Amino acid sequence: MTTFAPRWLFTLGIFTGSFLLFLVQPMLARMALPRLGGAPAVWNSAMLVYQGLLLGGYAYAHFLGRFGTRTQVGVHLAVLAAAGLTLPLSLAAGSPPASADPILWVPWLLLISVGPLFFAISAQAPLLQRWLAVGGLNPYPLYVASNLGSFCGLVAYPLLLEPMVGVAENSLWWSWGYGIMLMLVAACGLPLLRTDHAPPARETAPRLPASTFIRWALIAAVPSSLMLSTTLHLTTDVAPMPLLWVVPLGLYLLSFTIAFSERRGAANVCTAIAPYGLLLAAALLFVVSGAMLPLVVLTAILAMFLAACALHARLYDYRPEPANLTLFYLAMSLGGVIGGLICALFAPLLFDWTYEHPLLILAAAFLLGGRQPIHAIADLMRSERAGRILLLVILLLLACSFLAAMQSKFALLALFSSIGAGLATLALGRAWLFAFALATVMLAGGGFKQIHDSVTGQMTRSYFGVYRVSDDYDGQRMLVHGTTTHGVQLLGTPQRERTPTSYYWQGSGVGRVMSSLPAIAGQNARVGVVGVGLGTLGCYSRPGQSWTLFEIDPTVIDIARGPGFHFLRDCLPSARVVIGDARLKLDEAAPASFDILVIDAFSSDAIPMHLLTKEAFAIYKRVLRPGGVLMIHISNRHLELRPVVRTGGESVGMAGLLASAAGEPLLRGYESTWTALSSDPQTLARVRATEPDLWVSLPLGRRVHWTDDHASILPVVAKPW
């Protein structure tokens, strides 16, 4: 009889490994941010490397399952020990050469930095479960411990570790955690190496058809994609709140603990009500403003969670015998990679809006809509004739909704969407008909208008998000990124079209400074602007000045230079435009390159931390002439950035002023908050003189120190909603 380590030791080993896995990605991202910037290639590559290594680890675990348990234990302990030689966790030395293709260079850097460690840890969950299964125990509930560990790691980094200590110290703690995990794995595996115990015979796994593997992968891909699309939809189109992305991912991980639990009660409840959650999410999909926003966010997250629980429960029902356990997890990992590719790579290339989100809701509805939980309705809709009648009614409703959308009859559309929800309830039990009814609900609830905006060219999408160009009846054209307005152009006469608007109108802090720039910095001022938007600030330019614009997203430049907007074309036709992460590009600039530098790259919760660290302020001071002006736009719905700016300025010997200006509806001027910093008191005096009643000294208050090693968003969250 073979002696095994106690089950709790296997559980603890799996929990620890998964906990460490979900600390690696955010830690490495924080390490890479100052060096690589916030370009989409960095973040997309980081995610794909993460998922690719996870898939590779599962493939390695499946391959190792071909050998006896003694060989598995020996090889895996050797792999863990070899990977440990790369500790402490750190980003490999070197920066991308100017000629390097980031699509290739960035994944390579991330791969050599974390590849061995991540690969080794990712394989241990399926391997430990396989070792436990040798003793005849059910290994699948241990998957609960794996995902619970992942959830704890996900929450621990942004909420606990990042606010407490810097990246370097976190890396040391992570290294100690890796050592503990290695000892736990050894404690689980070493009893299987004892020669006085009968070694297990080499397992011969029953052959499974390829269709079974494909089914596992495709079912796993839907909740993975739905989690990512829900996160993107909420953080760009509905409520861009700080750390909101943690909630869908955390609940996605928790769904495994419900779905793979030996007690099936919670999983069965989620499976029964998941279609209704998807129906509510479909009905509220296009509600992006108003008092219902909290309900919209809650419904979207709940629908994703219920669908993930139900689909993962279906995977649990389809689980194979333990001999094919590693193949099962390999298929699930492949599904996760497919989900990541759909949302991170293919969708931005194929769609000009986040159409993947409603499509994934429909995919989940198709998979989960084959069972009618209400017996009375099931009996009523049992006949084929009833199904055909219901299909005709849904088609009629869809046609009426299209006609109402063409005439902008919004009250009728709301009514039709409600009727469609009722029809969808009747359609449960017929998967394809239920999904079709949900599609009708979406189209009537705003989908037809969304498609119209895409067809007419009002939508543009890049890796940074979705941009919408829209006109209103008051004679203005706006560029909106998600729920954040990036610029407003007045239409009509040339004078109106050159009028600065939004956060840059003449009464704003930056408007006052730019209007008086010759008196502050001289007639031939050299101006640098980080964050182009529509190029509104260019309307303050004067002959003799030289302007350099820094923009990370080329799509923004294309829109600003397009036929719909005139600021860049009319006011800054010869401006130098630099594409790329501003901090990296400014670090390449010559000292004293600018007389004034305007930092305008902050909106909603998308706060690029690396632009407000102590090291970033040192770069800004270096590229400014002695006594130059640093303007930073800190208007934000959720974050209080004044302590960060004051502390960052003081770290390089710069004092600051604050201007909080009210809006001006007639000029489409928005309420805004700007700071002006300089190392020269006389320069600040000239800034204050532009409007003495507007400018005040930056308040003392608390100090928030952000460095490349240690920065957390939690101390500056002012309004979480």
Side-chain angles (χ1 to χ4, degrees), residues 14-16 18-20 22 144-154:
I14 288 177
F15 177 92
T16 304
S18 298
F19 180 86
L20 293 174
F22 270 77
V144 174
S146 174
N147 286 279
L148 188 60
S150 300
F151 173 78
C152 292
L154 170 70

Side-chain angles (χ1 to χ4, degrees), residues 19 35 45 76 131 232 269 445 479 484 496 498 521 593 673:
F19 180 86
R35 192 189 307 179
S45 297
H76 189 56
W131 297 349
L232 181 63
V269 170
L479 174 64
T484 302
R496 277 177 56 84
R498 292 187 178 93
S593 295
T673 304

Side-chain angles (χ1 to χ4, degrees), residues 458-529:
Q458 296 183 35
M459 307 294 300
T460 305
R461 183 173 181 177
S462 73
Y463 284 103
F464 290 93
V466 177
Y467 303 96
R468 182 192 301 268
V469 177
S470 62
D471 295 354
D472 71 3
Y473 59 88
D474 282 337
Q476 63 179 357
R477 182 169 294 144
M478 296 180 292
L479 174 64
V480 180
H481 180 197
T483 58
T484 302
T485 300
H486 274 228
V488 177
Q489 174 110 51
L490 299 180
L491 304 178
T493 65
Q495 182 179 359
R496 277 177 56 84
E497 292 178 349
R498 292 187 178 93
T499 301
T501 57
S502 64
Y503 312 102
Y504 321 101
W505 71 287
Q506 292 181 351
S508 66
V510 74
R512 296 292 185 183
V513 170
M514 300 306 286
S515 297
S516 305
L517 194 56
I520 297 174
Q523 295 294 330
N524 299 321
R526 298 163 298 168
V527 182
V529 178

Side-chain angles (χ1 to χ4, degrees), residues 100-429:
D101 186 347
I103 295 177
L104 299 176
W105 195 90
V106 173
W108 171 248
L109 177 65
L110 298 175
L111 190 64
I112 61 176
S113 299
V114 75
L117 291 166
F118 196 97
F119 174 84
I121 300 177
S122 63
Q124 74 151 5
L127 279 176
L128 287 181
Q129 291 181 64
R130 190 180 187 91
W131 297 349
L132 187 67
V134 172
L137 299 177
N138 180 13
Y140 287 103
L142 266 66
Y143 199 54
V144 174
S146 174
N147 286 279
L148 188 60
S150 300
F151 173 78
C152 292
L154 170 70
V155 173
Y157 186 78
L159 299 185
L160 296 176
L161 297 181
E162 188 179 37
M164 289 173 55
V165 295
V167 173
E169 189 170 344
N170 272 326
S171 176
L172 291 176
W173 287 9
W174 194 94
S175 301
W176 282 106
Y178 185 87
I180 293 172
M181 183 211 66
L182 179 56
M183 289 188 290
L184 288 171
V185 174
C188 292
L190 288 178
L192 299 176
L193 296 178
R194 296 175 182 172
T195 56
D196 57 336
H197 292 159
R202 182 170 301 182
E203 298 176 352
T204 304
R207 270 195 170 276
L208 293 174
S211 59
T212 300
F213 183 88
I214 294 172
R215 179 174 61 179
W216 290 338
L218 292 181
I219 293 176
V222 173
S224 171
S225 300
L226 186 59
M227 178 270 296
L228 293 171
S229 70
T230 299
T231 303
L232 181 63
H233 173 64
L234 292 180
T235 56
T236 60
D237 296 324
V238 179
M241 301 180 335
L243 297 176
L244 182 60
W245 61 271
V246 173
V247 180
L249 180 55
L251 290 176
Y252 169 80
L253 294 172
L254 284 179
S255 71
F256 287 102
T257 68
I258 293 176
F260 280 70
S261 173
E262 290 182 293
R263 298 180 178 180
R264 307 305 299 157
N268 293 335
V269 170
C270 290
T271 300
I273 64 177
Y276 299 103
L278 293 170
L279 175 56
L280 284 174
L284 298 176
L285 180 65
F286 293 98
V287 178
V288 295
S289 62
M292 292 183 64
L293 275 186
L295 177 62
V296 172
V297 173
L298 179 62
T299 300
I301 292 175
L302 181 62
M304 183 280 302
F305 175 64
L306 291 173
C309 288
L311 290 170
H312 291 150
R314 179 168 296 182
L315 281 173
Y316 182 81
D317 293 338
Y318 290 157
R319 69 193 185 280
E321 294 298 321
N324 277 310
L325 177 145
T326 53
L327 182 66
F328 177 64
Y329 287 138
L330 178 63
M332 291 179 62
S333 177
L334 178 61
V337 172
I338 292 172
L341 289 172
I342 289 173
C343 291
L345 185 60
F346 297 136
L349 296 175
L350 295 175
F351 304 133
D352 59 8
W353 184 69
T354 53
Y355 286 109
E356 67 272 20
H357 184 56
L359 290 174
L360 287 164
I361 290 178
L362 296 179
F366 176 77
L367 291 175
L368 298 175
R371 177 177 173 270
Q372 173 58 263
I374 304 175
H375 297 299
I377 298 179
D379 293 338
L380 177 66
M381 301 300 300
R382 194 177 304 278
S383 69
E384 289 299 320
R385 181 180 180 186
R388 288 194 292 269
I389 292 174
L390 184 57
L391 174 59
L392 290 174
V393 174
I394 294 174
L395 286 171
L396 178 61
L397 181 66
L398 184 62
C400 293
S401 300
F402 176 76
L403 294 175
M406 293 301 97
Q407 301 175 32
S408 300
K409 303 290 186 181
F410 299 114
L412 271 179
L413 287 170
L415 175 62
F416 292 156
S417 182
S418 300
I419 295 173
L423 297 176
T425 303
L426 294 176
L428 265 175

